[in-house]
Amino acid sequence: MSVTEQPPPHPGPGPNPDDAAAADAAVAQLRDRISADSLTTRRDYLRIVATVSGGLAIGGVGVAAGILHRHGDSESLPEPKKVTDQLGPGQSVAFRFPGEDDRALAVRLADGSLVGYSAVCTHLACGVLWRKERGPDGELYCPCHEGVFDARTGEVTAGPPPRPLPRILLTEQADGSVWAVATARSGEQAKDALCRQFGDDHPLESASVGCPGAGRAGAPERRPT
Ligand code: FES
């Protein structure tokens, strides 16, 4: 799957079509401006828009106690991180994002969809694994208390986890490398997460994803003639 392609429709809970379309349009617009080398710079990073291949949600009971670090807390975009050089269908890879203490998981589903999640269970923070043999998409499984999450959406499907897994926004470059570029808060759509983190400081990027109010902040003042 390239950055300009969207995964096929999936029944049940899934991405907001508007959200995915906005991200897709932005990727198409910016694709030629992004190179692997440029990803390490802050400026070029802000030109990156993630491919969104599922709904977004994040949360954690442990976080409420102030004990656990929670994905998606940041008000600013993290630095992009290369997850892997290649990720084929039926493969997964563990990585850390956005910080070195933040366990995450990228999965290439059998149909080519690319999804990324926090690998920290929203129940009591055990590590989450992908069990590919469980159904067409496999499942995200927490062995501590038999928690199960939908691999395509991150939604809880069984066990005690109170909230879906936080989504990690991933993008795939032309060379096949997979990059993590952003996270989202609990229940937050990808577009909303990006718009929040772009804020008023990045009007071009905001406009590229269709953020509410985009274009006004950076537009020159019009004086009556
Ligand atoms: Fe994951 Fe309890 S810590 S189900």
Side-chain angles (χ1 to χ4, degrees):
M1 186 176 71
S2 73
V3 292
T4 58
E5 295 171 337
Q6 294 295 312
H10 184 266
N16 181 326
D18 292 339
D19 189 52
D24 188 44
V27 169
Q29 177 184 350
L30 302 174
R31 179 183 55 192
D32 295 337
R33 298 164 56 188
I34 300 171
S35 69
D37 290 341
S38 72
L39 287 167
T40 55
T41 69
R42 180 69 177 169
R43 178 175 177 176
D44 285 334
Y45 167 58
L46 292 173
R47 296 174 178 164
I48 297 170
V49 180
T51 326
V52 181
S53 50
L56 299 177
I58 183 174
V61 171
V63 176
I67 299 170
L68 307 172
H69 180 77
R70 179 174 59 180
H71 280 104
D73 272 348
S74 176
E75 287 295 332
S76 59
L77 287 166
E79 291 298 319
K81 183 174 185 177
K82 189 176 188 177
V83 174
T84 181
D85 289 335
Q86 301 281 334
L87 193 65
Q91 295 181 330
S92 67
V93 62
F95 62 103
R96 304 280 177 140
F97 184 83
E100 287 307 306
D101 294 331
D102 301 316
R103 292 169 286 167
L105 192 63
V107 179
R108 178 82 75 182
L109 303 178
D111 68 357
S113 299
L114 183 63
V115 293
Y117 299 100
S118 165
V120 180
C121 182
T122 57
H123 182 218
L124 294 174
C126 286
V128 173
L129 311 170
W130 183 52
R131 301 200 296 190
K132 66 180 291 185
E133 72 281 2
R134 298 297 181 110
D137 293 336
E139 67 181 17
L140 296 160
Y141 172 69
C142 178
C144 286
H145 309 99
E146 303 290 322
V148 182
F149 304 85
D150 186 300
R152 188 174 292 270
T153 67
E155 296 286 337
V156 179
T157 59
R163 295 181 181 85
L165 286 174
R167 173 77 67 173
I168 306 293
L169 306 187
L170 303 173
T171 186
E172 185 176 12
Q173 297 298 289
D175 63 0
S177 60
V178 175
W179 293 74
V181 296
T183 62
R185 290 173 174 165
S186 181
E188 189 175 40
Q189 296 295 316
K191 176 181 172 181
D192 295 336
L194 290 169
C195 290
R196 173 174 54 79
Q197 292 168 88
F198 286 148
D200 294 331
D201 295 333
H202 307 287
L204 294 178
E205 290 77 10
S206 294
S208 72
V209 298
C211 297
R216 291 202 295 267
E221 184 180 356
R222 300 188 68 175
R223 300 178 182 277
T225 56

